[in-house]
Amino acid sequence: MSVSIDIAGLRPERVAAVPSPLAELGMALHALSEPAHHPALQGWVTGVTAGLDPHLADRMCEADFLWRTTFSDLFLPCAGIPGGPTLPGATLAEELDLLDKLTDEQFADAALEFTCALPYSAPGSSVLADAELRRSALELAAARGPQQLRFSKRLLDDPPRIRAWLRQFLADCDEAFFADVWSRLRHQLAADARHKTDLIRHRGLGEALTAVSAAVRLDEDGGRITIDKLRQGRTVLRDSSLLLVPTSLGRPHLMVLHRHGWQPVLHYPISSPELGAPPSVDQLILRMTALSHPVRMQLCRNLARSTYTTSELVRIHNLTAPEISRHLGVLKKAGLITTRRRGRYVLHQLDVAAVARLGSDFLEALLR
């Protein structure tokens, strides 16, 4: 499973790495709405929540479906500006001006993305113009509760009113807490963007994408970017550019904007030296499948306590040597056990650290 971007013929000068204050505000709102996704931000979330004006907190809940899942493409409006490509603004005010340049159809379709199952990576009718799509969207919104149904009706009936509401809400968030956050983070994000730009210029796009995330890779002929995610998606870069947008608040989310007709964007968490590369989705599936067999679970119980030879495991489990070897081979291929030779004996042992990371690795793959 993966999302791919076909970039055949893309020139290096059409790849840009640029911070986005509006995208970072989107991640701030997401962290405030789903703090369990971001345990490292718990102290910041607690502090902001405690000092938040009750009226602003109520407004935050009113449209939280725009940022609770991850965050809406509305937080990267530069990607949808007709006649692009367009880069993010240097300030939040500039980015809000870009948000105003989206058409009502683009705004409504992006705002209802997470809740109304609208077409995403393929062309389709606008929810503002298609009566059947509108009816379906409201049915799905109703399943999410009366608050979301009210908001969706207001959006479909009067897009300019909701657009003005959202712009004022984001400006109020900036005054309440985000301006301080951005003043602390913008230099770090700008430095990361400069580093990615230097890599593109001097070492190539492949090196830059590897630095973006271990989950991103460029194929050998340089014609396709593949992002390792628990979902399927595909877009083709036609007469457009590729945008790399770093985030400090976004880990573990690696967002790929591949909406039809929009500029593709990789919105990636900046690297942290203490964090190693997570396993790929295929590796994770392999490890979880390896542990699902009762015999291999019993073998892991032994190998977690000490090293054992194949012969010792044969006697303990009353199985044949080929059976034990086959199960050990599955565990070894999944990277869950290690082997070392001592004289004429081969000793097997569980990689306790790899097993201990499975829960966090699985959660990161789900949230990536």
Side-chain angles (χ1 to χ4, degrees):
M1 288 179 279
S2 62
V3 176
S4 66
I5 305 173
D6 290 346
I7 60 166
L10 177 67
R11 298 190 302 274
E13 62 268 22
R14 295 177 63 188
V15 183
V18 188
S20 164
L22 182 55
E24 200 67 357
L25 174 53
M27 287 312 314
L29 290 168
H30 168 64
L32 291 169
S33 298
E34 282 288 0
H37 288 193
H38 306 274
L41 299 178
Q42 185 175 3
W44 175 80
V45 168
T46 301
V48 171
T49 303
L52 210 57
D53 175 76
H55 179 58
L56 184 61
D58 288 342
R59 291 158 67 201
M60 191 178 296
C61 294
E62 188 174 351
D64 67 352
F65 62 88
L66 291 177
W67 46 78
R68 181 176 289 276
T69 301
T70 51
F71 65 98
S72 167
D73 290 348
L74 291 177
F75 289 97
L76 284 165
C78 60
I81 301 299
T86 303
L87 296 179
T91 66
L92 183 63
E94 291 178 17
E95 295 235 86
L96 293 178
D97 289 342
L98 293 178
L99 185 60
D100 288 342
K101 292 183 180 180
L102 296 180
T103 66
D104 284 347
E105 289 76 14
Q106 286 178 304
F107 185 91
D109 290 348
L112 297 177
E113 170 194 346
F114 295 131
T115 58
C116 296
L118 299 176
Y120 186 83
S121 57
S125 301
S126 169
V127 69
L128 295 180
D130 189 318
E132 179 59 27
L133 199 56
R134 174 192 173 101
R135 183 195 63 78
S136 175
L138 290 177
E139 281 186 3
L140 290 167
R144 299 294 185 103
Q147 181 169 279
Q148 185 159 322
L149 178 60
R150 285 193 299 270
F151 190 93
S152 299
K153 282 182 175 177
R154 289 164 55 202
L155 172 61
L156 294 172
D157 290 341
D158 192 356
R161 179 186 175 193
I162 294 300
R163 297 180 70 150
W165 179 93
L166 180 62
R167 176 166 183 144
Q168 186 59 56
F169 168 74
L170 295 174
D172 291 345
C173 287
D174 185 48
E175 182 179 349
F177 65 87
F178 184 68
D180 177 62
V181 172
W182 184 246
S183 69
R184 290 187 289 107
L185 297 181
R186 63 189 181 92
H187 299 295
Q188 180 185 29
L189 296 176
D192 185 88
R194 286 194 300 271
H195 174 59
K196 300 300 186 293
T197 301
D198 288 342
L199 286 176
I200 293 168
R201 289 175 179 171
H202 302 297
R203 303 183 68 176
L205 180 59
E207 290 278 352
L209 293 176
T210 299
V212 161
S213 170
V216 182
R217 69 179 185 276
L218 183 67
D219 67 6
E220 291 185 0
D221 64 6
R224 175 177 296 183
I225 298 170
T226 302
I227 303 94
D228 189 48
K229 291 175 72 71
L230 273 167
R231 60 175 297 187
Q232 292 291 123
R234 180 177 179 270
T235 190
V236 179
L237 198 70
R238 292 193 182 97
D239 302 320
S240 187
S241 299
L242 176 67
L243 193 59
L244 309 179
V245 177
T247 170
S248 181
L249 302 176
R251 184 173 295 279
H253 304 300
L254 172 63
M255 195 277 286
V256 187
L257 192 162
H258 56 100
R259 180 181 293 276
H260 178 76
W262 288 43
Q263 177 183 5
V265 181
L266 287 178
H267 185 245
Y268 64 94
I270 59 177
S271 60
S272 179
E274 70 273 9
L275 295 174
S280 68
V281 169
D282 288 341
Q283 288 174 316
L284 188 60
I285 292 172
L286 193 64
R287 290 180 179 182
M288 298 181 77
T289 301
L291 292 175
S292 66
H293 195 286
V295 171
R296 291 195 284 272
M297 290 180 69
Q298 288 293 322
L299 287 172
C300 287
R301 181 179 184 275
N302 297 119
L303 298 175
R305 288 162 167 76
S306 183
T307 56
Y308 285 87
T309 66
T310 302
S311 298
E312 289 174 315
L313 293 170
V314 166
R315 289 195 296 272
I316 292 170
H317 294 277
N318 197 28
L319 294 171
T320 65
E323 288 175 314
I324 291 293
S325 295
R326 185 172 64 252
H327 287 302
L328 290 173
V330 172
L331 292 170
K332 186 174 178 62
K333 183 178 180 181
L336 295 173
I337 64 171
T338 60
T339 59
R340 61 185 176 87
R341 181 172 291 277
R342 189 179 65 196
R344 63 190 182 91
Y345 298 102
V346 176
L347 303 174
H348 310 283
Q349 189 168 28
L350 189 72
D351 187 337
V352 176
V355 176
R357 287 195 305 268
L358 271 177
S360 58
D361 287 343
F362 178 58
L363 183 59
E364 179 162 339
L366 293 179
L367 297 179
R368 189 189 301 159

